[in-house]
Amino acid sequence: MSLLVVGSVALDTIETPFGISERTIGGSGTYISLSSSYFASHSKQVNVVAVIGNDFPEKGMTTFKEHGVNTDGIQVKENEKSFFWHGKYHHDMNSRDTLVTELNVLGDFDPVIPESYQDCEYLMLGNLAPKVQQNVIERLKKRPKLIVMDTMNFWMEPAFIDDLKHTMTMVDVLSINDEEARQLSGEYSLVKAARKIMTMGPKYLIIKKGEHGALLFHDKNIFFTPALPLEEVFDPTGAGDTFAGGFIGYLADTGDVSFDNMKRAIVYGSAMASFCVGKFGTDGLIDLPSDALTERVREFVDLVQFEIAMV
């Protein structure tokens, strides 16, 4: 397993109907790395590239290392602050208000790829400016076996759409949510939207539907997995990134990038996301028992498996 994750490593203040968590570690790179670490053996680390300020807590760096995440690619900017986000979720937990966004060191992030990361076979590009994502791909000496890219509606605005579309031509898999798929394609039907988006570059498309699961598209093939019904959802922050980490982690671990194996990877990603939403911030991804993931995947299998007599 040779996996490179590029994304934000941040500090978040999160408010939900269940309480508030202040200045907890977060960011796309954090959630993806911690999630994918559950698919790496002790000899196969997850490598992360990100930037932080010297206000980032040492506990956060220790958490990475305890989960086998190689932090050699995290730049530390002295006398500067880490990216900070403060959001408040509504009672339905599906909508939220962003109260504060401070880019800080992320505002001029120029990713540096350590020489020891150059042999990566799998690249996961967390949500960042499309130009930064392009730079990462161009700075790798050899193209990875699989490149997965996540993005968001902000980068679909006129000021960034050209960069986004160019970056999409450089990747294999694009991961977005249903609202973003409709915005990017101009189509309401997600099937029509997927068909149009795949003409823009990516061979595979994942459309995330939050508590309603996820869709995987390739050519004329479509696969759907539900989200696991949970009694309690404490914090949806990072669920999409955790899903992406489980997806790319499983593919990197198995070394199989076929559509059939991607279907399994979607289920593992959904299982990881179900852990994430059960606690605040990244707490749901810390020190999971060794059999927890297997048991959670079995729950997914039981949820959708049935027998029917075809007449």
Side-chain angles (χ1 to χ4, degrees):
M1 178 179 177
S2 177
L3 171 60
L4 172 57
V5 174
V6 184
S8 58
V9 172
L11 294 173
D12 294 339
T13 291
I14 303 161
E15 296 183 49
T16 81
F18 299 99
I20 182 170
S21 178
E22 297 191 48
R23 297 185 69 81
T24 184
I25 65 168
S28 62
T30 300
Y31 285 100
I32 294 168
S33 298
L34 292 178
S35 178
S36 58
S37 72
Y38 285 94
F39 301 87
S41 67
H42 292 297
S43 62
K44 300 177 180 178
Q45 288 184 312
V46 175
N47 304 306
V48 62
V49 166
V51 61
I52 57 176
N54 59 358
D55 60 340
F56 192 78
E58 184 60 33
K59 179 182 177 182
M61 299 298 282
T62 300
T63 297
F64 281 132
K65 292 170 184 175
E66 289 176 346
H67 282 75
V69 177
N70 187 344
T71 59
D72 291 349
I74 296 183
Q75 305 171 40
V76 181
K77 296 291 186 71
E78 295 296 329
N79 302 316
E80 294 190 48
K81 293 183 178 180
S82 303
F83 174 52
F84 174 74
W85 177 79
H86 181 178
K88 182 176 183 178
Y89 286 89
H90 298 183
H91 282 278
D92 64 2
M93 299 293 278
N94 289 318
S95 54
R96 70 187 184 193
D97 296 321
T98 293
L99 304 181
V100 179
T101 300
E102 297 175 0
L103 288 177
N104 298 326
V105 294
L106 199 63
D108 58 356
F109 178 39
D110 186 26
V112 177
I113 315 297
E115 188 63 32
S116 60
Y117 289 10
Q118 284 290 344
D119 62 346
C120 71
E121 293 184 287
Y122 298 86
L123 171 62
M124 179 69 226
L125 296 167
N127 176 35
L128 291 167
K131 192 65 178 175
V132 173
Q133 294 172 321
Q134 288 178 37
N135 290 341
V136 171
I137 298 171
E138 291 168 352
R139 290 172 185 178
L140 290 172
K141 297 176 182 177
K142 182 180 70 173
R143 192 188 192 281
K145 183 177 180 179
L146 189 78
I147 301 176
V148 181
M149 168 188 173
D150 191 77
T151 192
M152 66 179 296
N153 53 358
F154 180 78
W155 307 117
M156 298 173 190
E157 297 298 326
F160 307 104
I161 189 64
D162 288 343
D163 281 341
L164 177 64
K165 287 185 174 180
H166 178 63
T167 307
M168 287 169 55
T169 67
M170 305 170 73
V171 307
D172 302 298
V173 185
L174 177 66
S175 176
I176 51 179
N177 67 29
D178 48 355
E179 177 185 343
E180 292 157 352
R182 291 182 172 114
Q183 179 177 341
L184 183 59
S185 66
E187 299 282 355
Y188 183 80
S189 161
L190 293 180
V191 175
K192 288 182 178 179
R195 192 177 300 133
K196 183 176 287 188
I197 291 169
M198 286 188 291
T199 67
M200 300 178 186
K203 305 178 188 68
Y204 302 86
L205 175 67
I206 297 170
I207 298 181
K208 299 168 288 187
K209 292 169 58 64
E211 64 177 331
H212 302 296
L215 290 155
L216 172 66
F217 296 88
H218 173 58
D219 290 336
K220 296 181 180 180
N221 301 309
I222 304 175
F223 174 73
F224 170 75
T225 184
L228 192 68
L230 300 170
E231 286 190 26
E232 294 180 311
V233 174
F234 282 92
D235 176 16
T237 308
D241 295 317
T242 301
F243 168 89
F247 175 79
I248 191 69
Y250 181 81
L251 292 179
D253 182 48
T254 58
D256 179 356
V257 296
S258 67
F259 183 77
D260 281 344
N261 202 48
M262 284 191 185
K263 291 193 289 185
R264 289 185 281 271
I266 288 280
V267 174
Y268 274 91
S270 297
M272 290 303 304
S274 72
F275 291 120
C276 177
V277 300
K279 294 183 180 180
F280 272 105
T282 58
D283 287 353
L285 303 177
I286 305 300
D287 298 328
L288 290 175
S290 59
D291 60 346
L293 180 56
T294 300
E295 290 300 318
R296 189 57 56 92
V297 170
R298 285 200 184 105
E299 291 182 49
F300 272 90
V301 173
D302 292 341
L303 182 67
V304 299
Q305 191 173 35
F306 63 92
E307 294 181 8
I308 187 169
M310 302 299 291
V311 178

